Amino acid sequence: FGGGALAGRRVVVSAGPTYEDIDPVRFIGNRSSGKMGFAVAEAAALAGAHVILVAGPVSLPTPAGVVERVDVRSAAQMHAAVIEASADADIYIAAAAVGDYRPQQVAPCKLKKQAGAELTLTLAENPDILATLSAQPTHPFLVGFAAETHDVATYAQDKLRRKKLDMIAANRVGEGLGFETAENALTLYWEGGSKELPRASKTELARELVARIAERFQRARA
Ligand code: C5P
């Protein structure tokens, strides 16, 4: 093993949006670009980890050093891929923007417009990947992301406790930060502590984040 902070560790990173199909040509998605998650995967590899990247539908090249990339489309596929990859992982970093709902039924043929009429889509709730993992008796060190438009600290700390995470990385979306942007700013929370990572490129932030994760992980396992 090399000398990095995560040398010899197995790290799973999820990144990007999920697409929930409505019919063969339409879907419900979100504005995640995958850039933050891909930067985190690259930073973890740089820190010496064996990295598996589970990617939603994005057109980004696989970062240097990533050992395995699993491409998925829907939240259900991401759930299955992450659970499988996490079975023998030390750390799972959930940077994907997983759709909370999916159309209850996927229409086998393209839906036709009914002029003048409303269309109602019934949505079913998707399982929460982080919550599934944290409910398992043994599971990796869990890091979540919280993208919020307001009350960032309150929502992030609530999510940390509710999903029983080891760390959460919170960012305010909008104001030129967050989705579809090159820069971001994060506040990290864990039980009994927090740390501001000021505005920087996603590459720099990812390296900072991975350094903090390695530190907390080592304490948790010490
Ligand atoms: O509750 P919220 O969706 O805002 O939490 C965001 C965090 O939870 C992210 O780390 C995201 O990857 C994760 N998540 C998940 N499974 C879902 C929805 C979100 O693991 N179905």
Side-chain angles (χ1 to χ4, degrees):
F1 296 133
L6 290 177
R9 298 301 181 185
R10 298 179 68 89
V11 175
V12 177
V13 180
S14 65
T18 62
Y19 285 178
E20 309 300 324
D21 287 340
I22 297 170
D23 69 15
V25 296
R26 305 181 180 97
F27 61 86
I28 299 172
N30 63 67
R31 290 172 58 180
S32 168
S33 65
K35 281 182 196 155
M36 191 66 219
F38 274 57
V40 169
E42 182 162 40
L46 202 65
H50 176 283
V51 178
I52 301 178
L53 174 58
V54 179
V58 295
S59 51
L60 293 172
T62 304
V66 167
V67 174
E68 195 184 327
R69 171 173 176 171
V70 184
D71 287 306
V72 298
R73 179 174 170 83
S74 66
Q77 290 168 354
M78 185 170 279
H79 189 275
V82 169
I83 301 300
E84 189 187 332
S86 295
D88 57 357
D90 296 295
I91 299 170
Y92 169 51
I93 306 172
V98 186
D100 290 323
Y101 295 94
R102 64 181 182 278
Q104 193 156 56
Q105 269 141 21
V106 183
C109 302
K110 185 180 170 189
L111 295 175
K112 290 296 172 205
K113 181 162 86 177
Q114 307 285 332
E118 285 181 346
L119 173 70
T120 303
L121 275 179
T122 302
L123 303 180
E125 197 181 357
N126 282 327
D128 193 290
I129 303 168
L130 278 172
T132 301
L133 282 171
S134 71
Q136 293 179 351
T138 61
H139 57 74
F141 184 94
L142 297 175
V143 183
F145 272 75
E148 308 288 353
T149 54
H150 60 284
D151 295 332
V152 179
T154 310
Y155 283 117
Q157 284 166 316
D158 176 63
K159 228 163 260 183
L160 178 76
R161 294 191 195 104
R162 204 161 27 84
K163 297 197 191 193
K164 298 195 182 72
L165 307 180
D166 296 290
M167 186 187 278
I168 195 151
N171 65 312
R172 181 183 270 276
V173 296
E175 301 163 23
L177 298 173
F179 290 152
E180 296 171 342
T181 62
E183 288 199 321
N184 210 349
L186 298 172
T187 310
L188 311 184
Y189 299 94
W190 56 90
E191 201 54 59
S194 70
K195 167 95 184 151
E196 289 286 338
L197 302 186
R199 185 177 184 137
S201 73
K202 288 181 175 175
T203 308
E204 286 172 70
L205 266 184
R207 288 181 192 178
E208 276 295 322
L209 171 63
V210 163
R212 296 286 94 77
I213 291 171
E215 215 172 87
R216 297 300 312 165
F217 171 79
Q218 262 129 35
R219 271 172 209 244
R221 297 295 142 110

